[in-house]
Amino acid sequence: MTDDVKYLPLVLPLGASRKERQGFSRLCRLLAATNLDPGAPLEHAYWLKAAELGDLYNQPRLAAAAHTIIDLVDQGWTIDVDKLGPLVCPPQTHTERETEKARVRRQEHLRRDAQLRQPSVRRFVESMERTHQRGDRLISIFNLMRDGRELAASLEASPDVTDAIRPYVQIVNSAATCELTGFKLHDIWRYFRHTWSNAYSTIPGRSMPILIRDAATEYHAVIGLAAISSPVVQIAERDSWMGWDTKQVLAAIEKAPTDRLARWLARRIEVQQDGIYVEDLLRDAILQPDDLKRPTNDVIARLRADAERHRAKHHRGGPIREVRNIETDAWVERAETHLFRSKRSALLAETLEIRNILGTHFAPKPTAARLRRALDDSRARTQIGRLVRRARGERVGTVIADLTICGAVAPYNALAAGKLVGALAVSPTVLAAYKAKYRRPSEIASAMAGRPITREARLSLVTTTSLYGTGSSQYNRLFWPTSVMGGSEHARMGFNELGRSRSFGTSHFSDETVEAMVRLSEHTGARVRVNSLFGEGVSPRLRKVRLGLAALGWPTNELLKHGRERILYGVPLVANVRDYSLGIDKEPAYLVDPEPNDEGQAVAQWWFERWGRNRAAQDRVRESMQQHRLVRPIRHGARVPLSTDDELLPVAFQGYAIARQA
């Protein structure tokens, strides 16, 4: 366990009443004095009532503080109260692997189990487990699970994977239905997703769920799940590994400036400016047509003032309902909203400033010699860095994706089928499906341009993170010959360890807490408002929590550290990762055949020979599989673990009298 224990003081901000301060202190003493069961979640309503906080609707400061402190204690933070007020200490990370995995698993289960107690979730799960008529058969989700005893027997009788297990990839379309069971594919995916250690949530931006099915069973049982989603915009470890961090790119250009790089930078200026709708800016006399070719400092200043003015109008709320009701493809109407007017004016000001400074160096024709002279000018070098950052920001969400879900369900997980799912998640079938799904107008780029703009949809890199910082048995040593995906006979690809991500985020805060923080920030008149509109910015949830913690006056960065360091992995799909990802190279140099020749059968054969066959021969693995049975009462690891009783209230605590006396 680490030794650098740090306690953070948490007190209510100025403006809180004496009653609110006393109530918060009472809640903290109650939590500190109670012998809590680490495996039992803290029910917010129960503790708010026990601390006699009263009606929190009219006490937004107290509401946000109380919900936050309950979440922190629920996630293993230590709380103490001295004469100056409450103090909290983050959970300590354990160096012993199994202890640390158990700690993280318990934290994740708290939110997942709370979600599974929600009536709407229980109704969904129960409806999937209830039988329905399909032709002359009664079908339920259990038909999509495989009996472990039958699987073990089949593997023993058939040494060839093609007889015992026949995996294939099925892309989940929200409107598509499983022909064998009548279930919607997304409902199948969602049901099995609820068996994961962490809570189910939707991902903003791009998201493509994937099922791995087994054609060796009557109803094509589910082997595992995956999902390819929009990546986190900035991850230092990933960006450094790719070599497309701004400083790295500048150093590479400086080391070897070429005509090709000079032309790319000049082209970036034109593409950037061409992608900005300007009709309303001309109409409102913010600029004149000639200003787009020969901008002055006054024009750039007017654009920046216009951006700030419309940014303020957007954050004041305005007609948000009307904005939400704009048709998806009404690009001019979207472009002229306060949000996109602000973004357009700011970007145009930046682009014209870049044109002003770099234009003098690149004219009349961009060459390596002129690029070298520009790099010697500190002002021009700064503008080149801005172009690189914009290129990265434009393409990070289109050529890079995150494998947000990846794993096998019982009984296949005993055979290391999570490795099979990981490999199939980056197979040609998935790459082709992703390209087909997202080769369509980009919402943000089209709203900026006032016309349909289609971004690149051919992936260069897929990243993912381990659930535990101590290691990942699923991604460890997961490499395969590229030939199983139509690539070279002499190369291999797979999951490279890129580094360790920082333990930072909002996963340890409940929805109740986030709602309370939003109310507090609105009540205190925060200048910035999170309207959860697409294009407003990354991670609305993170921005909401930041604003709420700032309104409380609490240490935002410290409280956003959830103490769960994770290993970051990446699967490069092309040889020219950096240059294609930035757009320097127009075409990807794929390591695999991007057009699928099968549905994953070659990968499945490789997986079985490399991992599955040896596992299937082990007694402990067969015994593990045989525990998952489809006879009633059904006890199966692929079944959603709904509680059998209410479990809505925590166990009685012993510290209540102590807290009351205090």
Side-chain angles (χ1 to χ4, degrees), residues 389-443:
R389 278 193 295 273
R390 283 289 177 182
R392 188 173 66 239
E394 176 186 300
R395 291 174 68 89
V396 65
T398 62
V399 300
I400 297 176
D402 196 17
L403 186 57
T404 49
I405 300 296
C406 181
V409 301
Y412 299 97
N413 54 359
L415 297 170
K419 293 180 181 291
L420 168 67
V421 177
L424 288 175
V426 295
S427 64
T429 299
V430 172
L431 300 185
Y434 188 88
K435 174 185 171 184
K437 181 173 182 178
Y438 291 110
R439 180 156 282 187
R440 64 189 189 198
S442 161
E443 288 191 39

Side-chain angles (χ1 to χ4, degrees), residues 154-274:
S154 181
L155 286 167
E156 188 172 1
S158 305
D160 191 346
V161 65
T162 56
D163 295 327
I165 308 174
R166 292 163 54 196
Y168 68 93
V169 176
Q170 185 173 45
I171 305 300
V172 175
N173 184 313
S174 58
T177 298
C178 172
E179 296 179 355
L180 299 172
T181 64
F183 286 120
K184 288 184 177 180
L185 291 181
H186 195 274
D187 285 347
I188 295 173
W189 190 92
R190 179 187 169 192
Y191 176 90
F192 288 104
R193 173 62 181 84
H194 278 303
T195 66
W196 255 234
S197 295
N198 51 2
Y200 167 74
S201 61
T202 56
I203 304 293
R206 297 183 174 187
S207 184
M208 191 174 76
I210 302 161
L211 287 168
I212 308 300
R213 306 277 294 269
D214 185 359
T217 63
E218 182 180 4
Y219 293 99
H220 294 194
V222 171
I223 295 174
L225 313 179
I228 297 287
S229 308
S230 293
V232 177
V233 174
Q234 291 183 335
I235 302 180
E237 296 80 8
R238 177 201 65 199
D239 296 344
S240 176
W241 184 88
M242 292 177 63
W244 78 339
D245 174 78
T246 303
K247 290 182 179 179
Q248 291 175 297
V249 176
L250 281 173
I253 293 175
E254 193 167 31
K255 184 178 180 180
T258 62
D259 290 351
R260 175 168 162 267
L261 288 172
R263 289 194 299 271
W264 172 67
L265 290 168
R267 187 170 68 248
R268 280 298 315 168
I269 299 173
E270 298 303 325
V271 169
Q272 203 164 289
Q273 185 168 324
D274 184 59

Side-chain angles (χ1 to χ4, degrees), residues 68 185 193 262-263 292 336 407 419 450 462-463 488 532 593 616:
T68 301
L185 291 181
R193 173 62 181 84
R263 289 194 299 271
L292 295 172
E336 294 187 353
K419 293 180 181 291
V462 174
T463 60
S488 168
S532 297
D593 184 348

Side-chain angles (χ1 to χ4, degrees), residues 60-363:
R61 293 185 187 86
L62 178 58
H67 282 293
T68 301
I69 202 71
I70 292 172
D71 275 346
L72 294 177
V73 173
D74 208 6
Q75 292 293 318
W77 288 58
T78 303
I79 185 169
D80 194 10
V81 182
D82 65 12
K83 62 181 180 180
L84 297 178
L87 301 164
V88 295
C89 177
Q92 299 302 298
T93 301
H94 296 269
T95 56
E96 203 282 315
R97 178 170 179 165
E98 292 306 317
T99 303
E100 177 61 12
K101 287 177 69 174
R103 181 186 75 85
V104 174
R105 193 181 297 115
R106 186 194 71 83
Q107 289 183 334
E108 295 288 358
H109 280 183
L110 290 174
R111 286 193 65 196
R112 184 203 68 176
D113 293 346
Q115 183 181 67
L116 292 179
R117 291 196 300 272
Q118 295 175 5
S120 60
V121 175
R122 293 183 71 97
R123 285 194 299 270
F124 167 75
V125 171
E126 290 165 355
S127 71
M128 295 294 288
E129 295 182 352
R130 192 179 305 121
T131 57
H132 67 271
Q133 192 79 33
R134 180 72 173 171
D136 60 350
R137 304 289 296 273
L138 290 176
I139 302 295
S140 75
I141 194 67
F142 298 126
N143 292 94
L144 290 173
M145 300 177 195
R146 191 162 184 179
D147 189 290
R149 297 169 301 172
E150 182 272 326
L151 175 58
S154 181
L155 286 167
E156 188 172 1
S158 305
D160 191 346
V161 65
T162 56
D163 295 327
I165 308 174
R166 292 163 54 196
Y168 68 93
V169 176
Q170 185 173 45
I171 305 300
V172 175
N173 184 313
S174 58
T177 298
C178 172
E179 296 179 355
L180 299 172
T181 64
F183 286 120
K184 288 184 177 180
L185 291 181
H186 195 274
D187 285 347
I188 295 173
W189 190 92
R190 179 187 169 192
Y191 176 90
F192 288 104
R193 173 62 181 84
H194 278 303
T195 66
W196 255 234
S197 295
N198 51 2
Y200 167 74
S201 61
T202 56
I203 304 293
R206 297 183 174 187
S207 184
M208 191 174 76
I210 302 161
L211 287 168
I212 308 300
R213 306 277 294 269
D214 185 359
T217 63
E218 182 180 4
Y219 293 99
H220 294 194
V222 171
I223 295 174
L225 313 179
I228 297 287
S229 308
S230 293
V232 177
V233 174
Q234 291 183 335
I235 302 180
E237 296 80 8
R238 177 201 65 199
D239 296 344
S240 176
W241 184 88
M242 292 177 63
W244 78 339
D245 174 78
T246 303
K247 290 182 179 179
Q248 291 175 297
V249 176
L250 281 173
I253 293 175
E254 193 167 31
K255 184 178 180 180
T258 62
D259 290 351
R260 175 168 162 267
L261 288 172
R263 289 194 299 271
W264 172 67
L265 290 168
R267 187 170 68 248
R268 280 298 315 168
I269 299 173
E270 298 303 325
V271 169
Q272 203 164 289
Q273 185 168 324
D274 184 59
I276 304 172
Y277 173 77
V278 297
E279 295 304 316
D280 55 340
L281 298 174
L282 295 169
R283 185 172 64 240
D284 296 344
I286 301 298
L287 75 167
Q288 301 299 320
D290 287 347
D291 294 332
L292 295 172
K293 295 180 180 179
R294 292 177 291 278
T296 64
N297 290 335
D298 286 343
V299 169
I300 293 170
R302 284 203 302 274
L303 284 167
R304 286 182 173 143
D306 186 71
E308 185 58 35
R309 184 163 56 251
H310 285 276
R311 178 177 178 272
K313 289 180 179 180
H314 168 72
H315 285 305
R316 282 199 296 269
I320 298 300
R321 180 176 297 177
E322 288 83 347
V323 173
R324 294 186 191 279
N325 289 335
I326 295 175
E327 293 293 329
T328 302
D329 57 353
W331 302 123
V332 170
E333 195 174 354
R334 283 188 175 275
E336 294 187 353
T337 61
H338 293 311
L339 171 61
F340 281 99
R341 170 73 173 256
S342 170
K343 293 165 75 76
R344 288 185 292 110
S345 292
L347 180 57
L348 185 56
E350 177 183 311
T351 307
L352 293 179
E353 185 174 46
I354 293 172
R355 177 183 288 279
N356 256 357
I357 297 172
L358 284 185
T360 59
H361 290 280
F362 284 168

Side-chain angles (χ1 to χ4, degrees), residues 54 59 69 119 133 184 271 278 333 355 366 368 370 378 386 390 519 562 568 585 606 609-610 613 643 661:
Q59 303 177 88
I69 202 71
Q133 192 79 33
K184 288 184 177 180
V271 169
V278 297
E333 195 174 354
R355 177 183 288 279
R370 292 189 172 99
S378 61
R386 295 171 85 180
R390 283 289 177 182
R519 248 197 114 246
H562 50 60
L568 180 67
D585 289 349
W606 162 82
E609 294 299 329
R610 176 66 180 86
R613 188 186 298 280
S643 57
Q661 291 172 5

